[in-house]
Amino acid sequence: QLQASGGGLVQPGGSLRLSCAASGRIFRINTMDWHRQAPGKQRELVAGVTSGGTINYADSVKGRFTISRDNAKNTVYLQMNSLQPEDTAVYYCNYVIQILPLNAPESYWGKGTLVTVSS
């Protein structure tokens, strides 16, 4: 189970920090990603981090957003700075998790947290 939190209303130029924690049976978490879906648009990848620490960002958030993971807490964070109205969306965390050593990795989604950037 993934539980995302940290969304809310913020003014343009402001900051928010999202977090997503995984619970339950976990052998290994491969990738931890943040995606977002704005009204009327398709869901898009915002940022991701692999178990090896490789990080990638969407061009639209480079230099403003920072993703990090705490493996001990099975938690991923998204620090969002210099937020703009176009960042308004529901943000979802997505993990690829291997529950048991012999199981294939599977994708799990959190329920999403709403970020609204408006004055």
Side-chain angles (χ1 to χ4, degrees):
Q1 181 179 2
L2 301 184
Q3 184 66 46
S5 61
L9 174 65
V10 63
Q11 292 186 341
S15 298
L16 282 175
R17 189 192 194 208
L18 307 182
S19 63
C20 178
S23 60
R25 183 188 294 271
I26 297 172
F27 171 68
R28 178 186 293 125
I29 300 175
N30 292 342
T31 60
M32 296 176 169
D33 298 335
W34 285 100
H35 298 246
R36 67 185 180 187
Q37 188 165 19
K41 294 188 177 181
Q42 290 188 327
R43 192 173 298 189
E44 62 174 352
L45 175 66
V46 176
V49 55
T50 69
S51 57
T54 300
I55 291 174
N56 65 289
Y57 295 101
D59 288 342
S60 58
V61 306
K62 283 180 180 177
R64 301 188 298 122
F65 291 10
T66 302
I67 189 171
S68 60
R69 63 188 281 171
D70 184 334
N71 291 325
K73 296 181 179 180
N74 294 330
T75 298
V76 65
Y77 304 96
L78 187 68
Q79 177 65 43
M80 304 186 294
N81 299 329
S82 302
L83 284 161
Q84 300 301 318
E86 52 266 33
D87 295 315
T88 296
V90 178
Y91 284 71
Y92 299 89
C93 53
N94 174 253
Y95 286 21
V96 174
I97 297 174
Q98 192 176 358
I99 295 177
L100 294 171
L102 296 182
N103 284 36
E106 295 183 62
S107 176
Y108 295 84
W109 289 89
K111 287 189 176 180
T113 184
L114 177 63
V115 172
T116 303
V117 185
S118 176
S119 55

